[in-house]
Structure formats: C-alpha cells, structure tokens
Amino acid sequence: MFPSQAAYEDPAFPEEQLRMLASKTSIKDRFRQVADEANRIRDKHLFTLTPGDVTHPKLAQLDELHIHLVMPKVVKESYDDLIQGETMTFSRFIEEIQGLQADRPQSLTLL
C-alpha cells in the first residue's frame, strides 16, 4: 500500500494518490484476487516475475479489472510490442510513487 496503510485507512486521504502493488510469481488466474483487494483503489498494480505468463486475452482481462502489470525490465522485454506497451517496469512504478510523494504538500510542523 502506498504511501502507507494509514493513508489508505484515512478517509480524508485523496484516493487518486493511493497505490497498491500486489505480487504474484505468476499471474495465472490468481490475478482475480487482486481485483477484490483495496477497494478504495480503482486501478491496482500487479508485480509478476514469470516470462511468457501474459497473453493478449489475459491482458484484456486485466484491463477490464483495472489491474496494471508491473515487471522487471528483462521480463517486460521478452514480450511483443503490444504487451510491452501495456505494462510497466518496476523502476517506472517506483518513479510514479516517488512522483506522488513529491506532489503531496508537506504538512507544517508547529513547535
């Protein structure tokens, strides 16, 4: 949960700044479990390590469930251009999280 579980549980925290990254060694049919987790977050991310695990029909199913695949660069590069265009590297996901953190106004600390 990004930025934190506390932020997720805080109803005042903006939903568009929340992210979830689930992890499965291979996605098979277990990706459906991810759709039922973290209900405040519409678009979820799923990290996978298994090359060749993603097919075009499976990618369409993931898209319907608003699940975005995240994988290491070397795994992503093993897929065709369509699948590569619809997935993100783990480093790109981290950049997105860092960007959200940078965009959040810092609270003032009163001494």
Side-chain angles (χ1 to χ4, degrees):
M1 209 61 69
F2 298 93
S4 67
Q5 184 69 32
Y8 178 80
E9 292 172 356
D10 179 358
F13 193 88
E15 290 178 8
E16 65 275 2
Q17 291 186 3
L18 294 170
R19 296 293 184 274
M20 178 195 133
L21 179 64
S23 177
K24 304 282 184 198
T25 303
S26 67
I27 59 174
K28 298 186 182 179
D29 286 328
R30 291 179 285 172
F31 68 88
R32 295 180 194 285
Q33 297 167 345
V34 176
D36 294 329
E37 298 171 358
N39 292 327
R40 283 190 67 200
I41 302 172
R42 179 177 180 252
D43 290 291
K44 298 167 178 138
H45 294 81
L46 174 58
F47 182 76
T48 186
L49 295 169
T50 307
D53 201 26
V54 182
T55 62
H56 293 269
K58 190 161 293 192
L59 193 61
Q61 289 176 318
L62 290 164
D63 188 52
E64 287 176 16
L65 295 171
H66 304 281
I67 298 173
H68 307 281
L69 284 178
V70 178
M71 55 187 71
K73 182 179 178 185
V74 68
V75 174
K76 181 176 173 164
E77 290 174 344
S78 71
Y79 288 103
D80 65 38
D81 290 343
L82 176 67
I83 292 175
Q84 284 191 43
E86 295 295 320
T87 59
M88 75 171 38
T89 61
F90 184 68
S91 59
R92 176 66 194 109
F93 177 79
I94 296 301
E95 289 170 5
E96 181 177 312
I97 297 302
Q98 289 172 333
L100 287 172
Q101 294 292 337
D103 291 343
R104 285 186 42 224
Q106 300 300 313
S107 60
L108 297 174
T109 303
L110 302 175
L111 300 175

